[in-house]
């Protein structure tokens, strides 16, 4: 029997567009090297991300079903962080506001505006600077604040709540070499106003990151990150879409503190393997300003 869900490209486009749009907005939640090293209590940071992602190939079950997807996402994301203490532990309550321009050429649709705002905080039960090791736990909550229209196939908002639990460990191997592992799971509420009045549900997504960074000078370091994402199969009114993620991604970056005034970071990211969805690559610039 032919599985019609696999043969209708438009369905894959709609679900793939939503997935990558959410990833573009979650750049600020994506962990970067040394993010799990807390700043002193009382520090405030303004963090601005400029992100560009694009894709030509779109895959279904590991096979390329389109080589002219025409996917492009541009995002400006503003993040505000305050470092403090909670029950004797370092903590950094924060809020993230994404603004995204999304264009899916193969679907002939685009969308611009504010995406889903999210907030959270890391709590560090282990912050041992003397022995260069830190362990933190970070919950995030995504609110359904983004632009959403069930008559459109491409939306910035997911029209559902979602919840992330992330945990990260950082270890300084030498004075300038740091190794980090970060795992996370994301749970999703239902979108009860999906296309045609249907309900979109999504299974949990699991992500694993491992990173290595090395100082090349005072306040300057180069780094690499490998990310594995699995899970997240979607169902439309109970009908499983057989579109679970299995994605391998590699990133390379350079971070540079200019005195104590600000930090500049440049990052190149590329999907190595994508089971379902767009094969993206892109560039992210990050500006960190203490205030």
């Amino acid at each position: 029997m032919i599985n019609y869900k696999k043969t209708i490209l438009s369905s894959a486009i709609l679900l793939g567009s939503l997935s990558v749009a959410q990833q573009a907005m979650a750049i600020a939640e994506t962990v970067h090297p040394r993010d799990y090293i807390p700043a002193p209590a009382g520090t405030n940071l303004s963090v601005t991300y400029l992100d560009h992602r694009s894709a030509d190939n779109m895959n279904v079950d590991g096979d390329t079903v389109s080589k002219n997807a025409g996917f492009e996402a541009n995002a400006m994301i503003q993040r505000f962080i305050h470092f403090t203490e909670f029950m004797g532990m370092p903590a950094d309550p924060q809020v993230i506001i994404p603004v995204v321009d999304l264009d899916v050429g193969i679907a002939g649709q685009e969308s611009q505006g504010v995406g889903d705002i999210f907030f959270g905080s890391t709590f560090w039960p282990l912050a041992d600077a003397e022995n260069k090791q830190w362990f933190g736990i970070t919950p995030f909550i995504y609110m359904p604040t983004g632009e959403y229209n069930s008559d459109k196939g491409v939306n910035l908002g997911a029209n559902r709540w979602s919840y992330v639990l992330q945990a990260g460990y950082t270890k300084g191997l030498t004075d300038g070499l740091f190794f980090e592992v970060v795992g996370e799971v994301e749970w999703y509420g239902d979108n009860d106003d999906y296309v045609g009045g249907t309900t979109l549900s999504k299974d949990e997504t699991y992500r694993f990151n491992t990173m290595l960074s090395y100082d090349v000078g005072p306040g300057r370091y180069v780094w690499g990150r490998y990310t594995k994402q699995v899970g997240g199969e979607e169902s439309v009114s109970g009908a499983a879409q057989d579109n679970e993620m299995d994605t391998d991604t590699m990133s390379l970056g350079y971070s540079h503190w200019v005195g104590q005034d600000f930090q500049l970071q440049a990052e190149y990211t590329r999907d190595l393997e994508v089971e379902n969805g767009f094969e993206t690559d892109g560039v992210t610039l990050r500006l960190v300003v203490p205030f």
Side-chain angles (χ1 to χ4, degrees):
M1 179 180 294
I2 296 175
N3 186 334
Y4 74 93
K5 292 186 290 293
K6 294 183 180 179
T7 60
I8 300 178
L9 180 58
S10 59
S11 175
I13 293 168
L14 296 180
L15 297 171
S17 301
L18 176 61
S19 176
V20 180
Q22 297 306 305
Q23 291 177 36
M25 289 183 285
I27 292 301
E29 179 244 303
T30 299
V31 67
H32 291 87
R34 310 190 188 183
D35 280 358
Y36 267 91
I37 301 177
T43 301
N44 297 304
L45 298 178
S46 168
V47 187
T48 304
Y49 303 80
L50 297 177
D51 181 73
H52 170 79
R53 300 291 169 100
S54 61
D56 291 321
N57 291 351
M58 182 172 185
N59 298 343
V60 174
D61 287 344
D63 297 324
T64 300
V65 296
S66 174
K67 293 186 177 182
N68 190 28
F71 174 89
E72 185 172 346
N74 295 290
M76 182 182 75
I77 302 163
Q78 184 61 48
R79 179 181 193 176
F80 296 103
I81 308 173
H82 172 68
F83 287 87
T84 183
E85 289 192 357
F86 177 78
M87 298 181 65
M89 296 183 294
D92 66 345
Q94 55 193 274
V95 62
I96 300 98
I97 305 168
V99 179
V100 182
D101 184 342
L102 180 63
D103 185 0
V104 185
I106 194 172
Q109 296 193 36
E110 60 182 357
S111 188
Q112 304 89 22
V114 179
D116 290 341
I117 296 171
F118 56 106
F119 62 94
S121 178
T122 300
F123 303 92
W124 280 270
L126 174 63
D128 185 355
E130 182 177 354
N131 293 304
K132 296 185 176 64
Q133 59 179 346
W134 299 263
F135 174 74
I137 300 172
T138 310
F140 282 109
I141 299 177
Y142 285 75
M143 301 181 292
T145 57
E147 176 190 337
Y148 182 82
N149 184 338
S150 62
D151 293 329
K152 294 176 59 179
V154 176
N155 284 286
L156 300 180
N159 194 42
R160 65 187 174 206
W161 293 80
S162 60
Y163 313 91
V164 173
L165 184 61
Q166 186 181 89
Y169 175 75
T170 299
K171 174 62 179 176
L173 303 178
T174 67
D175 286 342
L177 181 64
F178 290 79
F179 173 73
E180 298 167 76
V181 290
V182 180
E184 67 179 74
V185 58
E186 183 168 3
W187 296 270
Y188 306 88
D190 289 343
N191 174 1
D192 57 6
D193 186 25
Y194 192 55
V195 176
T198 56
T199 296
L200 178 66
S201 302
K202 187 170 184 176
D203 292 344
E204 296 85 356
T205 297
Y206 300 90
R207 302 181 187 92
F208 172 78
N209 303 272
T210 182
M211 296 170 288
L212 198 65
S213 60
Y214 180 72
D215 289 346
V216 294
R220 297 179 286 127
Y221 53 94
V222 294
W223 53 268
R225 179 183 65 226
Y226 166 76
T227 302
K228 179 74 170 182
Q229 298 188 78
V230 295
E233 181 180 6
E234 291 165 309
S235 300
V236 178
S237 292
Q241 300 299 293
D242 195 20
N243 66 338
E244 60 271 15
M245 287 192 298
D246 188 352
T247 302
D248 299 271
T249 304
M250 180 63 72
S251 302
L252 299 173
Y254 171 74
S255 303
H256 187 169
W257 273 100
V258 180
Q260 299 296 316
D261 296 327
F262 59 90
Q263 184 200 58
L264 295 171
Q265 178 174 284
E267 169 188 355
Y268 174 72
T269 298
R270 184 177 184 85
D271 288 333
L272 304 177
E273 296 286 342
V274 177
E275 181 73 11
N276 288 294
F278 296 105
E279 289 184 20
T280 66
D281 69 344
V283 174
T284 304
L285 302 177
R286 186 178 81 168
L287 173 66
V288 180
V289 181
F291 67 97

